[in-house]
């Protein structure tokens, strides 16, 4: 990313204020992504369709990375949730859809400093996919225009530990069964138990990789959007100890 875009994404992207100021400046320089970001550090109250549509998947991922850096520094955007709520009440134009875990320590909007209207976030234990999840992501990308489909796992995941331990409980048994292929597929030389966090995190990472591959396989709609370059499907791991989100590519 060039300096201007990194700076501007920090200032403008995914949660802005003073949109009218930005819009009038954009009129002067022309409506394109670069010009938008070059204008100034003005912000709108919520992501607009016009701005979202100008962003590339790479810029959106960069904005999420920038937000995570702010979170790790103990900073966050000077945002006003009530203004974001009001600005997005009549329409939403989120930039990304996430599939992430229900873990209380891994709320994507907080750890990547995102605001109301910025992302569609599917949260389910172990960030496993199902036809309902894929349907949600297809809605987000094909119908609502989101440009990134991100599967975000995290370290020390209880669902991964449960799958390794063959835990059984009501409907949870079936959910954990969806993680088991990742256990088999994980190459690991140390102790393969839920007590070994190194192994748990290796399985968590493999689970994200397999889920990303599974999305491409089981959703021709999302695979086609990716093949055309409209969206990017990728994975990430959130480290609950360091607070860092590591994007896979
Ligand atoms: Zn988890």
């Amino acid at each position: 990313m060039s300096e201007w875009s990194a700076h501007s994404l920090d200032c403008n992207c995914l949660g802005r204020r003073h949109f009218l100021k930005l819009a009038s400046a954009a009129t002067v320089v022309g409506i394109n992504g670069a010009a938008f970001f070059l204008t100034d550090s003005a912000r709108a109250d919520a992501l607009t369709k016009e701005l979202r549509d100008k962003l590339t998947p790479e810029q959106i991922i960069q904005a999420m990375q920038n937000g995570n850096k702010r979170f790790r520094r103990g900073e966050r955007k000077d945002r006003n949730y009530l203004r974001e709520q009001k600005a997005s009440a009549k329409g939403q134009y989120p930039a990304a859809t996430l599939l992430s875990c229900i873990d209380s320590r891994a709320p994507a909007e907080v750890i990547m400093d995102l605001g109301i209207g910025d992302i569609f976030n599917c949260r389910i234990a172990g960030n496993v996919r199902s036809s309902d999840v894929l349907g949600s992501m297809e809605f987000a990308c094909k119908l609502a225009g989101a440009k990134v489909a991100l599967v975000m796992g995290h370290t020390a995941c209880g669902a991964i530990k449960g799958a390794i331990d063959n835990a059984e409980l009501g409907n949870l048994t079936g959910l954990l069964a969806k993680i088991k292929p990742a256990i088999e597929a994980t190459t690991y030389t140390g102790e393969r138990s839920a007590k070994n966090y190194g192994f748990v995190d290796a399985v968590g990472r493999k689970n994200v990789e397999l889920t990303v591959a599974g999305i491409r396989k089981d959703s021709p709609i999302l695979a086609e959007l990716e093949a055309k370059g409209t969206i990017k499907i990728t994975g990430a791991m959130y480290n609950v100890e360091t607070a860092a989100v590591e994007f896979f590519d």
Side-chain angles (χ1 to χ4, degrees):
M1 297 296 290
S2 60
E3 185 57 35
W4 65 262
S5 57
H7 168 78
S8 301
L9 282 167
D10 238 7
C11 293
N12 283 336
C13 187
L14 306 183
R16 285 123 251 112
R17 297 187 298 155
H18 313 311
F19 177 67
L20 289 177
K21 188 178 167 193
L22 174 63
S24 67
T27 303
V28 174
V29 298
I31 306 293
N32 66 62
F36 245 106
F37 291 133
L38 280 170
T39 50
D40 58 23
S41 61
R43 299 171 185 177
D45 287 330
L47 205 49
T48 62
K49 181 177 190 308
E50 198 168 33
L51 181 51
R52 190 275 312 276
D53 289 350
K54 299 295 175 194
L55 294 171
T56 66
E58 289 71 25
Q59 286 175 317
I60 292 162
I61 288 170
Q62 183 68 53
M64 291 194 279
Q65 290 173 322
N66 290 343
N68 180 242
K69 283 180 190 160
R70 287 194 299 278
F71 174 69
R72 286 154 65 192
R73 290 196 301 261
E75 300 168 0
R76 67 169 194 165
K77 266 186 184 157
D78 177 22
R79 63 173 75 254
N80 181 317
Y81 283 127
L82 206 54
R83 282 217 300 264
E84 291 181 356
Q85 171 263 319
K86 290 185 190 312
S88 60
K90 290 195 165 47
Q92 60 169 340
Y93 307 100
T97 178
L98 269 66
L99 170 53
S100 62
C101 185
I102 61 170
D103 196 291
S104 66
R105 301 162 297 176
E109 291 87 346
V110 175
I111 64 174
M112 293 193 280
D113 191 21
L114 302 170
I116 292 172
D118 282 345
I119 61 168
F120 292 105
N121 194 0
C122 301
R123 296 188 68 170
I124 184 163
N127 36 274
V128 297
R129 75 187 189 284
S130 66
S131 57
D132 294 337
V133 164
L134 291 177
S136 300
M137 298 180 98
E138 287 168 359
F139 164 77
C141 295
K142 182 75 176 181
L143 299 182
K147 293 185 172 179
V148 171
L150 178 70
V151 180
M152 187 180 78
H154 67 95
T155 61
C157 180
I160 301 288
K161 290 181 200 169
I164 294 170
D165 277 343
N166 294 308
E168 293 190 2
L169 174 72
N171 292 288
L172 181 60
T173 305
L175 188 156
L176 297 183
K178 296 185 173 185
I179 297 173
K180 294 195 174 172
I183 303 172
E184 317 282 322
T186 298
T187 305
Y188 193 81
T189 50
E191 183 188 337
R192 296 174 69 92
S193 85
K195 293 190 182 67
N196 181 356
Y197 274 47
F199 180 61
V200 170
D201 296 347
V203 174
R205 175 177 289 266
K206 180 59 72 178
N207 183 51
V208 170
E209 290 173 4
L210 293 183
T211 304
V212 168
I215 288 172
R216 291 188 180 117
K217 179 171 72 71
D218 294 339
S219 174
I221 288 173
L222 294 174
E224 185 188 350
L225 286 172
E226 185 179 47
K228 286 194 298 189
T230 308
I231 69 166
K232 184 177 174 73
I233 306 172
T234 189
M237 278 290 280
Y238 175 60
N239 188 313
V240 298
E241 292 195 29
T242 67
V245 178
E246 178 202 347
F247 285 76
F248 286 2
D249 51 45

